[in-house]
Amino acid sequence: MPLVGVGLLYRHGYFRQTLSRDGWQQEHYPVLDPHELPLAPLEEPDGGPAQVALALPGGRELRARIWLAQVGRVPLLLLDSDVEENDLGERGVTDRLYGGGSEHRLLQEMLLGIGGVRAVRTYCRLTGHPEPEVFHTNEGHAGFLGLERIAELCAAGLDFDSALEAVRAGTVFTTHTPVPAGIDRFDRELVARHFGPGAELPRIDVDRILRLGMETYPGGEPNLFNMAVMGLRLAQRANGVSLLHGEVSREMFSGLWPGFDADEVPITSVTNGVHAPTWVAPEVFRLGARQIGVQRAEDALTVGGSERWDSVAEIPDEDIWELRRTLREQLVTEVRERLRASWRQRGAGTAELGWIDDVLDPDVLTIGFARRVPSYKRLTLMLRDRDRLMELLLHPERPVQIVVAGKAHPADDGGKRLVQELVRFADDPRVRHRIVFLPDYGMAMAQKLYPGCDIWLNNPLRPLEACGTSGMKAALNGCLNLSVLDGWWDEWFDPDFGWAIPTADGWGTDPDRRDAIEADALYDLLEQRVTPRFYERGQSGLPDRWIEMVRQTLSRLGPKVLAGRMVREYVERLYAPAAEAHRALDPDAARDLAEWKARVRGAWSGVSVDHVETSAATATAELGSTLGLRVRVRLGDLAPEDVEVQAVSGRVDSEDRITDAAAVPLKPVSGPDTEGRWVYEGPLALDRTGPFGYTVRVLPVHPLLASCAELGLVAVPSQELVEAAGLLMR
Ligand SMILES: *Cc1c(COP(=O)(O)O)cnc(C)c1O
């Protein structure tokens, strides 16, 4: 799959985390020198650095150089504004991830989106790499890339609306979080100032740009420019990152497709995956390679395919258990080193730190919990009942030990308080040998942490975890999951792979009560299910039921969580259809489609359902029989080829709404009459038991639409008509 990645080169990265003596998070921003990283500057033929430039208000300019990282076969372009040509302010645009104000963030996103497209064009020009056909934007952050491509097409002579159609066809938008803080919204005025004459994209009317980001739905803020909303409007295809998150996103953004039920909102889902060659510990890989050979083991990690993973079933219990102990022991060593370094940093002398030699035990059930610390992830849920936690940690026969890590956002004092609460608990001499907080969570720590744990714990507020990926990385090393049914775990949970923490996420539960219920459920599971299974011994003297869960996790869950599976899904379901749509939309087709949409939008108020009748009395309708449906619709200035008239039927719920609806197109049989009305007919099969209902609707159709909801237009019968025709039957 030919891909080019684009990102920003943050001079300070995110930040490094240490702790003060009393457990308060301290941030450090060491300077990264690109010359010491595996990066090469992209160069022009004359040897000068390749750069992109953006016009800023007031005649200023933002320039950035392009660094190239070769990630396997994929080139990754990183934009770096720290160049001499920039004024001091502009040099700082790519200084760090998060932390500047709103304008700083806007400039980062303009550089990423607009500068990103320019960097890709430069890269293609300099290397002969083919021009990309599809652009994929992760969340709204890179959303301006659509505007830059519209501007390119306008410069080539297309009008805005036609260019918008051509760009939409070749754009995929992925929404990554239902948490509002994760979605960038800018002041409208700020955006207006950065576009138009005297700033960026002077050819595009600023008003058109502003309208793309407007929250035109109930509850929307008229003065804010929403990057996710713009992203969705600039992309013909969109997805969330797990099955559940797809559902949540359809609900969340349904206001952009008025008239459609959430389940018809055109946002699908592709569940995330993780890069197994990075995350499978060498010891785990070696055991697999011993079974099936190095080449097939490598293929199993990248290509996937369950037949390659089946061989795990043949690995003897003793070998799996020995592997688990080896990994746990390595983690124990790693934890002691990191803890010692952290305590030194917190001001402790060597003589005070003898106790660290006894921190954690390579034979004790080890639980990992490491992630960012936004409030929805509930870092401190485990502290809810400290006595119960202490009993679990200090149990005489079946103790557990816990390794915790995570960075709070530098501006989030609430998050830092949670870190401090955990650190203070872990500092208590009564439990400090069984629970540790490791500062500066990052990939290097994560690579040791996931394999060394027996249980990976995740307790977010459902359904705010869009996917979650650390549990996948843990599973790839035979670590079992203990998690709230959120994100990917909601989709792939199986009692063979771990445990589901029951949630109280119904409406009306107050947050405090909810935490109490869910924390209790967590303690219960640990006491009654998890620890007994880990410590019980079967005939062979090994915990054979636990080992069987490890085996099931590796062989059946492993192949699902792979990045290879995810990429294949993106290609088949989103990239390839988008590439095809993009090719179909040459300038003439783009103009035709834009004109058609404008005509349909303009004429839609003239479309209505006028009359509905069935050929059989509803009272005699029986399961298995077929009704004849006859419908009269007004199409106004539109023609039958512009629309589809559908019979929609399904089960009816207690609120008279049709659930699990199936739509069948009806056929025009006559028309138009003198009043512009058309008659449509078709069969309606009564193929379901229980309360059943149907209705009729008219939708715009065009071969180049990706979904019948794309325009957000639909005409349905009036309430009077529904009642008169008895459209909902019981
Ligand atoms: C995988 C990973 C994450 C993300 O984990 P989630 O489960 O998605 O929260 C965060 N940080 C590091 C260092 C990781 O390796």
Side-chain angles (χ1 to χ4, degrees):
M1 182 64 207
L3 287 169
V4 180
V6 184
L8 301 181
L9 180 71
Y10 295 111
R11 186 49 43 115
H12 302 285
Y14 183 19
F15 68 90
R16 304 292 300 267
Q17 177 196 49
T18 61
L19 298 171
S20 72
R21 183 84 199 198
D22 64 349
W24 191 254
Q25 169 178 303
Q26 319 272 297
E27 296 98 31
H28 308 269
Y29 294 90
V31 175
L32 299 176
D33 179 356
H35 298 284
E36 287 179 4
L37 296 170
L39 298 171
L42 194 63
E43 287 174 354
E44 291 291 343
D46 66 6
Q51 289 194 345
V52 295
L54 271 72
L56 300 185
R60 288 178 302 139
E61 195 181 47
L62 167 61
R63 300 184 77 90
R65 64 190 303 180
I66 307 167
W67 295 93
L68 175 64
Q70 195 62 41
V71 184
R73 286 181 291 259
V74 176
L76 169 63
L77 309 179
L78 293 172
L79 299 173
D80 171 11
S81 70
D82 190 9
V83 297
E84 281 174 12
E85 292 88 339
N86 279 338
D87 288 344
L88 212 56
E90 281 73 46
R91 284 181 84 146
V93 166
T94 57
D95 55 356
R96 64 185 64 166
L97 171 65
Y98 312 139
S102 196
E103 179 161 9
H104 183 255
R105 187 77 177 149
L106 178 67
L107 290 178
Q108 287 187 337
E109 299 197 346
M110 287 180 67
L111 181 60
L112 180 62
I114 299 170
V117 174
R118 292 175 188 170
V120 170
R121 302 293 185 222
T122 304
Y123 176 75
C124 293
R125 168 171 62 77
L126 292 173
T127 62
H129 190 284
E131 289 285 345
E133 294 183 287
V134 175
F135 286 76
H136 179 183
T137 151
N138 277 349
E139 209 33 272
H141 314 311
F144 290 128
L145 65 79
L147 293 182
E148 166 68 3
R149 285 154 58 226
I150 290 175
E152 288 177 338
L153 292 172
C154 290
L158 225 53
D159 63 288
F160 180 90
D161 287 309
S162 309
L164 173 63
E165 293 308 330
V167 164
R168 275 171 51 83
T171 307
V172 176
F173 177 82
T174 299
T175 169
H176 268 89
T177 178
V179 179
I183 293 178
D184 289 299
R185 295 154 94 207
F186 296 110
D187 205 42
R188 255 172 83 81
E189 285 310 307
L190 182 71
V191 176
R193 218 176 331 123
H194 283 82
F195 288 94
E200 252 319 318
L201 309 186
R203 286 170 171 275
I204 306 183
D205 179 7
V206 178
D207 212 48
R208 295 304 308 259
I209 294 176
L210 293 177
R211 267 157 56 194
L212 286 169
M214 243 173 105
E215 299 181 342
T216 50
Y217 41 77
E221 283 282 346
N223 289 321
L224 290 182
F225 184 92
N226 184 313
M227 293 295 285
V229 165
M230 177 183 70
L232 287 164
R233 289 199 176 116
L234 286 174
Q236 199 179 23
R237 287 170 180 77
N239 70 292
V241 292
S242 68
L243 216 51
L244 178 62
H245 179 236
E247 204 176 295
V248 170
S249 303
R250 285 189 288 277
E251 187 71 49
M252 183 169 156
F253 292 110
S254 61
L256 294 177
W257 289 271
F260 289 86
D261 289 340
D263 60 5
E264 285 193 287
V265 164
I267 301 177
T268 182
S269 66
V270 175
T271 303
N272 281 343
V274 295
H275 186 247
T278 301
W279 293 107
V280 169
E283 295 78 5
V284 178
F285 181 81
R286 276 202 289 276
L287 192 57
R290 200 189 71 191
Q291 268 333 92
I292 58 174
V294 170
Q295 187 56 52
R296 290 189 68 213
E298 275 175 6
D299 288 349
L301 299 191
T302 50
V303 187
S306 53
E307 68 291 347
R308 296 192 183 87
W309 290 75
D310 286 345
S311 55
V312 174
E314 284 134 40
I315 303 177
D317 276 13
E318 310 83 76
D319 294 355
I320 290 184
W321 194 237
E322 194 185 305
L323 170 72
R324 296 296 323 149
R325 190 182 192 282
T326 305
L327 296 169
R328 202 183 302 116
E329 195 166 30
Q330 287 179 2
L331 175 62
V332 169
T333 307
E334 172 88 9
V335 164
R336 288 176 189 164
E337 278 167 19
R338 285 182 179 266
L339 196 63
R340 187 167 284 111
S342 170
W343 269 107
R344 285 239 173 81
Q345 206 281 328
R346 289 172 77 181
T350 313
E352 294 174 70
L353 298 179
W355 60 275
I356 289 182
D357 294 335
D358 297 316
V359 163
L360 303 194
D361 177 334
D363 290 308
V364 165
L365 169 58
T366 305
I367 300 175
F369 184 104
R371 45 190 49 88
R372 294 177 298 115
V373 192
S375 55
Y376 81 89
K377 296 212 187 218
R378 295 191 295 190
L379 175 74
T380 53
L381 189 74
M382 66 177 86
L383 299 184
R384 181 85 201 186
D385 183 337
R386 292 173 182 225
D387 294 338
R388 261 187 104 177
L389 177 60
M390 219 174 268
E391 277 170 31
L392 278 161
L393 295 170
L394 303 177
H395 193 285
E397 290 97 41
R398 300 196 298 269
V400 302
Q401 56 194 9
I402 309 182
V403 182
V404 187
K407 291 176 175 178
H409 187 291
D412 177 15
D413 279 351
K416 292 186 208 177
R417 269 193 292 277
L418 298 182
V419 169
Q420 185 174 43
E421 238 183 281
L422 219 133
V423 171
R424 285 184 171 166
F425 182 84
D427 284 352
D428 184 335
R430 288 174 299 170
V431 293
R432 66 186 180 187
H433 60 301
R434 288 268 198 263
I435 180 167
V436 294
F437 180 90
L438 300 182
D440 208 30
Y441 180 42
M443 281 181 68
M445 184 201 295
Q447 279 177 321
K448 288 271 184 276
L449 188 51
Y450 306 145
C453 290
D454 300 291
I455 287 287
W456 195 250
L457 172 66
N458 193 15
N459 47 234
L461 275 173
R462 188 177 191 270
L464 296 180
E465 181 87 303
C467 180
T469 51
S470 50
M472 295 178 169
K473 302 176 217 167
L476 280 176
N477 291 284
C479 172
L480 309 182
N481 276 272
L482 169 60
S483 171
V484 158
L485 286 178
D486 201 3
W488 73 278
W489 190 235
D490 185 61
E491 202 168 322
W492 289 331
F493 162 71
D494 180 311
D496 288 341
F497 307 155
W499 293 267
I501 304 169
T503 48
D505 53 345
W507 295 105
T509 315
D510 88 85
D512 194 53
R513 175 100 191 95
R514 178 171 170 181
D515 282 358
I517 293 171
E518 296 183 9
D520 272 342
L522 169 61
Y523 300 130
D524 287 348
L525 274 170
L526 284 170
E527 277 166 13
Q528 294 156 26
R529 313 251 167 212
V530 181
T531 51
R533 179 142 319 170
F534 183 87
Y535 287 104
E536 83 191 352
R537 290 295 180 267
Q539 301 264 309
S540 59
L542 296 174
D544 38 20
R545 294 212 295 164
W546 187 279
I547 294 169
E548 188 51 29
M549 288 177 79
V550 172
R551 190 180 275 122
Q552 293 287 331
T553 295
L554 286 170
S555 63
R556 293 201 295 122
L557 183 53
K560 289 191 211 246
V561 301
L562 299 180
R565 187 268 316 147
M566 170 188 72
V567 173
R568 193 175 313 121
E569 278 192 53
Y570 271 108
V571 170
E572 289 171 359
R573 297 177 40 215
L574 294 165
Y575 297 164
E580 218 167 288
H582 162 80
R583 283 173 212 164
L585 276 181
D586 59 29
D588 287 338
R591 275 190 203 99
D592 287 349
L593 181 58
E595 274 164 25
W596 178 83
K597 280 193 179 177
R599 189 163 61 79
V600 168
R601 285 199 177 102
W604 200 253
S605 60
V607 176
S608 64
V609 179
D610 233 38
H611 182 76
V612 180
E613 63 187 50
T614 52
S615 61
T618 52
T620 64
E622 284 173 12
L623 185 66
S625 65
T626 300
L627 301 180
L629 199 56
R630 191 178 162 84
V631 181
R632 209 166 57 216
V633 298
R634 286 174 196 270
L635 298 184
D637 293 334
L638 299 182
E641 55 269 27
D642 295 323
V643 301
E644 184 165 287
V645 179
Q646 296 178 337
V648 181
S649 62
R651 230 178 285 281
V652 171
D653 68 12
S654 57
E655 283 157 39
D656 273 353
R657 276 186 319 230
I658 296 175
T659 58
D660 68 345
V664 181
L666 303 176
K667 290 202 173 67
V669 292
S670 68
D673 68 8
T674 49
E675 293 182 53
R677 295 178 302 191
W678 296 76
V679 175
Y680 278 71
E681 285 182 358
L684 182 65
L686 302 184
D687 53 3
R688 278 170 239 212
T689 55
F692 174 83
Y694 73 95
T695 186
V696 171
R697 65 180 185 180
V698 188
L699 303 164
V701 288
H702 189 283
L704 293 174
L705 296 188
S707 133
C708 67
E710 189 168 319
L711 272 72
L713 295 175
V714 59
V716 294
S718 65
Q719 197 53 39
E720 298 82 58
L721 198 60
V722 168
E723 279 158 23
L727 287 191
L728 293 169
M729 300 180 299
R730 290 181 157 271

